[in-house]
Amino acid sequence: MLGNQAFARGLYEAGCAFVSSYPGTPSTEVTEEAAKYEEIYCEWAPNEKVAMEAAFGASLAGKRSFCGMKHVGMNVAADPLFTCSYTGVNAGMVICVADDAGMHSSQNEQDSRHYAAAAKIPMLEPADSAEACAFVKQAYEISEQYDTPVIVKMCTRVAHSQSIVETGERTEERTLPYEKNIAKYVMMPVNAIRRHPVVEERTRKLAEYANTCGFNRVEMGDTRLGIITSSTSYQYVKEVFGENASILKLGMVYPLPEKLILDFASKVDKLVIVEELDSIIEDHCKKLGLTVTGKDVLPLEGEYAQNLIAEKLGGKAPEYKSLDETLPGRPPVMCAGCPHRGLFYILSKNKCTVLGDIGCYTLGAVAPLNAMEMTLCMGASISAIHGFNKALGEESEGKTVAVIGDSTFMHSGMTGLANIAYNQSNSTVIILDNSITGMTGHQQNPTTGYNIKGDPAGKIDLESLCRAMGFVRVAVIDPYNLEECDRVIKEELAAKEPSVIISRRPCALLKYVKHQPPIHADGDKCVGCKSCMRLGCPAISMKNNKAVIDNTLCVGCGVCEQLCKFDALQPGEVQK
Amino acid sequence: MTKNIMIVGVGGQGSLLASKLLGHLLLSEGYDVKVSEVHGMSQRGGSVVTYVRFGEKVYSPIIDKGEADFIVSFEKLEAARYVEYLREDGRIVVNTQEIDPMPVITGAAAYPENLIEKMKGLGIQVDDMDCLSLAEEAGSAKAVNIVLMGRLSKYFDIPVEKWQKAIKECVPAKFVEMNEKAFLLGRGE
């Protein structure tokens, strides 16, 4: 079972009744898998803050609830996180945060364990699928016993690895009575002042619990070397050392078990901490007065693996053979027929300054399009273009655009757009509406008209929304039509007021999207000018200075055809 | 002793089905199995890697340099890219298909020549075959993954019927026959 699938199984078995999440690699499948259980209400929320607040509401009402997100999603949800630590819960509430050390699919590699310590919320950290399932179930018990939300932290290698899980039955779903309790749930100063000591007392009790919690486990082996570790790092340590070291494997990483750590340290000659990213366990050990090895030899950045552990801790990694040759890389690219491509081509051609956002379209920044100059976080394109244009005025207004996907716009683009509407910068915002959340693997969102189960749902109309916010200039274009894109973008950049352009065309990978026959490349007409190559389409390549089309990839979108001045690229039908 | 199979290729080539098949097969053989893959960015036509590890007790979900008993590659350049992950006595099973990566498409780089010969020149055991043609012969270009599994099966002491049972469990019913043919073509039977 995939780690995320096992996590969802844990939710099911724990009697969880309410799930609200925003997709984000590597956390997405927890919610997708949970949605397969009929007994659990599941939804995609517009963003992580909304998801966490919805899960809190369900917990308050008396149902066991859950919300899931990636590490950067936790930044968005940080506001409710810190205060629901004060209110505590009614029925159990579990939060999944999935870190991405190595940045396989993220803009940074922050360590979410800091959030547990900062918000004073207990955090469990499974090391494989079986633990993911078991820890989630125990997390609900801790949540209800200690009156606190509980975070279960995943990482890419636990979330996206499959290992064996023994499944159990679903605990019968209960609804705890909701009771009005203003002192506990209304966090205004007079009440919050009284709740803070409750949080501190709870943390002290949880620290005691950590000493005896079965998820923190000692595996005694050779006592000359003692290693404290958790999560996937535990697996690498076991792989390298087996019985040749003693291990304290932490399943609860906040609060940390002081007595257990001191006791373990007293039984080994040398103490080493193996933890990915920041030195949280290490710093804790040092605070306890222990002498430890950790980040002095192991890196603060990137993923760990067995060879790294072996090399850094005095072992030996295996030998291997190498080719004495630099191989061309294979970076991810926009798919053939991707609706973003035509639009980025036009932006590149018009030498626009493009402030970008988070999604598949971030690939517009790579060669040969090179049509993006900034990507920060969800929604930042719209907020930043406002500041950019206010700072530079006419110098930038006529050539700068913000680009943001439909899902990202719903996530945190609307507030930035409100700022443009309110404080009136002459900004041009392009919403790339491909009718799906693409990068994370096709999740529905409030603009698609469908819910997580694929059933019809509410649908937000982007044009009406933008007009309601005060935008007079709202245009809709088809990104497969280059002439139209070029004309409208020029018009809106020239206009002396804020405007929104909606570039609308569903993702070419969506099952309902019908593809055209592959484009036919006429070798006799092709002069090898390479105009079509400027699109960076994976279906087009040059062989013997002639354009050739890969029929297995081409979906016949016809964008390249519009660039060929020699009619060498023609719709597939011509072939027949 | 843990055995390691690394599956490499280009996003969209169907390597996930291959790892699913191996996972099913090895679990039914009573092994502890871990399969690890990366989702997200890497699927957009990028280089993709899946690790399959099995044995009595498997700890790490990933395969590191010098550890792979087998590298199963869906594409020639990708086999070369991960050659350092092979054990010194390991074996590469490779589809000789060439898929140009973006730097080659844009002309910034050339597709390297004679990769199979160069790998063999290092003393590596390379089992190269045109899986795309065999897959097409079986009925679909998409069956490259099962052709490769057929070839890989030759190096395992597991009866053919067990592999075929795993195929049945992993592919939709209407594609079973075609995939079984692809499997046997890959195996050379």
Side-chain angles (χ1 to χ4, degrees), chain A residues 277-297:
Chain A
L277 300 178
D278 295 339
S279 57
I280 291 172
I281 303 171
E282 180 181 344
D283 292 348
H284 186 80
C285 290
K286 284 178 176 165
K287 215 167 79 181
L288 294 174
L290 298 169
T291 305
V292 297
T293 292
K295 297 299 177 184
D296 48 335
V297 295

Side-chain angles (χ1 to χ4, degrees), chain A residues 11-12 15-21 30-46 50-51 54-55 57-58 63-68 140 170 173 450-453 455-458:
Chain A
L11 293 174
Y12 170 78
C16 172
F18 181 93
V19 170
S20 185
S21 304
V30 174
T31 301
E32 287 185 320
E33 291 293 331
K36 292 179 182 168
Y37 294 106
E38 277 180 18
E39 294 89 338
I40 309 177
Y41 170 82
C42 286
E43 65 179 23
W44 290 125
V50 174
K63 295 278 193 188
R64 284 190 165 183
S65 71
F66 168 77
C67 64
Y140 278 104
R170 178 168 167 90
E173 189 184 314
Y450 294 94
N451 65 20
I452 191 169
K453 307 229 182 199
D455 297 326

Side-chain angles (χ1 to χ4, degrees), chain A residues 113-159:
Chain A
R113 293 177 298 168
H114 291 293
Y115 272 112
K120 302 185 178 180
I121 291 177
M123 178 181 266
L124 307 180
E125 197 180 26
D128 60 22
S129 300
E131 285 194 353
C133 183
F135 283 23
V136 168
K137 290 196 281 185
Q138 185 60 24
Y140 278 104
E141 300 305 321
I142 296 171
S143 175
E144 289 176 2
Q145 192 180 339
Y146 290 88
D147 190 11
T148 175
V150 177
I151 305 170
V152 179
K153 175 183 168 281
M154 299 288 274
C155 66
T156 300
R157 294 301 175 187
V158 176

